[in-house]
Amino acid sequence: MGPNKVKAVGCSIKLLNKTGGHVQSAMGCVGTIKVTNATFWWPYLMSEDPGYQYTMMVAVSDEQGNLDMYPQKIGIRTIGWNSTTLTINDVPMYLRGCGRHEDSDIRGKGVDYPLIIKDFSLLKWLGANSFRTSHYPYAEEIMDMADQEGIMIIDESPAVGLSGFDEALMNTHISVMQELVRRDKNRPSVIMWSVGNEPVSSQAAAKDYFSNVVNATKAADPSQRPVACVLSADKSSDKA
């Protein structure tokens, strides 16, 4: 087969509800599925059924009839915000949570399924509905659990304590944010991006640097989630 010849493939999509019932279907590898009267994904404590997800069953077949099935969990919800209010599904909400880490003092850093369940149980016991992925992209298993349990996430890049703010650093930072958005943009739990943690933002070059990083992040995310940065300040630097 020549390098420019691509085998013909066929695609079909079936959308199932939480109990496996058929909701909608479509043929073709490109298109739109419209869901009427959708059951929304809600955060923990904002619904009796938080974290509601549909299953999108994607089937792909080649010319020989070989079939590959891929199930993908999805949640349907909206995010809105202005200078005073953050809304989900047009309802004002308040973030209650913490900065979290992906390790523990029991078994160290790494994907640990029992500890993932334990951590989410503790979050819910605290009455938390959110956490920040301080300070790096988390394992997809943790993100899956957040989707499932209705825990909202501020998704943070591994940009900690940045200074200097030269062009090479900025280009790398933009690339990292684009990769993070590409991986997590379809997750209902991700409601906000964080471009960094405690940079030396008092440096003059920081203004243009972060303006470019934030604009590139917004351009990468068609849903236009809020974009934030975590800053450190004390009373002497608080001018408010």
Side-chain angles (χ1 to χ4, degrees):
M1 184 176 67
N4 297 322
K5 185 178 179 181
V6 179
K7 287 186 177 181
V9 297
C11 304
S12 66
I13 294 175
K14 184 181 295 184
L15 189 67
L16 308 177
N17 63 22
K18 193 173 184 178
T19 60
H22 177 266
V23 176
Q24 190 60 274
S25 57
M27 299 295 294
C29 298
V30 178
T32 301
I33 289 181
K34 184 176 181 179
V35 180
T36 57
N37 299 318
T39 301
F40 288 148
W41 185 95
W42 286 99
Y44 175 58
L45 296 179
M46 289 188 71
S47 168
E48 293 182 357
D49 189 16
Y52 187 95
Q53 292 179 285
Y54 294 87
T55 299
M56 181 177 287
M57 296 295 300
V58 181
V60 181
S61 59
D62 63 15
E63 293 174 319
Q64 283 72 45
N66 298 311
L67 184 67
D68 188 16
M69 299 286 291
Y70 185 77
Q72 176 66 55
K73 295 287 187 179
I74 64 168
I76 299 174
R77 59 105 182 98
T78 64
I79 288 289
W81 56 286
N82 55 36
S83 60
T84 61
T85 307
L86 186 65
T87 63
I88 190 160
N89 302 326
D90 295 326
V91 177
M93 54 96 164
Y94 188 82
L95 294 178
R96 299 180 301 275
C98 55
R100 186 180 175 279
H101 274 292
E102 202 180 35
D103 55 9
S104 75
D105 57 358
I106 302 172
R107 303 214 296 213
K109 184 171 176 61
V111 177
D112 193 320
Y113 297 113
L115 284 175
I116 292 173
I117 294 173
K118 174 179 177 290
D119 276 0
F120 275 88
S121 296
L122 287 173
L123 282 167
K124 295 168 79 171
W125 176 72
L126 288 170
N129 62 10
S130 58
F131 65 81
R132 176 170 55 94
T133 64
S134 47
H135 315 287
Y136 38 81
Y138 279 12
E140 292 191 70
E141 290 84 354
I142 294 177
M143 308 296 284
D144 289 342
M145 193 74 172
D147 289 340
Q148 175 184 314
E149 297 298 316
I151 300 297
M152 295 176 286
I153 290 179
I154 300 172
D155 212 356
E156 189 166 88
S157 77
V160 182
L162 295 186
S163 63
F165 305 111
D166 58 39
E167 185 175 359
L169 180 62
M170 182 185 72
N171 290 335
T172 298
H173 197 163
I174 288 174
S175 178
V176 167
M177 290 307 303
Q178 290 170 336
E179 290 179 10
L180 183 62
V181 171
R182 185 162 54 247
R183 192 193 77 161
D184 292 342
K185 64 184 175 64
N186 291 324
R187 290 190 175 276
S189 61
V190 176
I191 58 141
M192 191 180 303
W193 308 110
S194 173
V195 297
N197 177 264
E198 299 181 7
V200 187
S201 54
S202 58
Q203 294 180 359
K207 181 179 180 180
D208 288 341
Y209 176 98
F210 278 106
S211 177
N212 290 329
V213 172
V214 168
N215 287 336
T217 304
K218 289 181 177 180
D221 180 14
S223 76
Q224 290 292 293
R225 290 174 177 87
V227 180
C229 185
V230 178
L231 303 179
S232 177
D234 55 29
K235 292 182 178 179
S236 64
S237 61
D238 187 357
K239 305 301 182 183

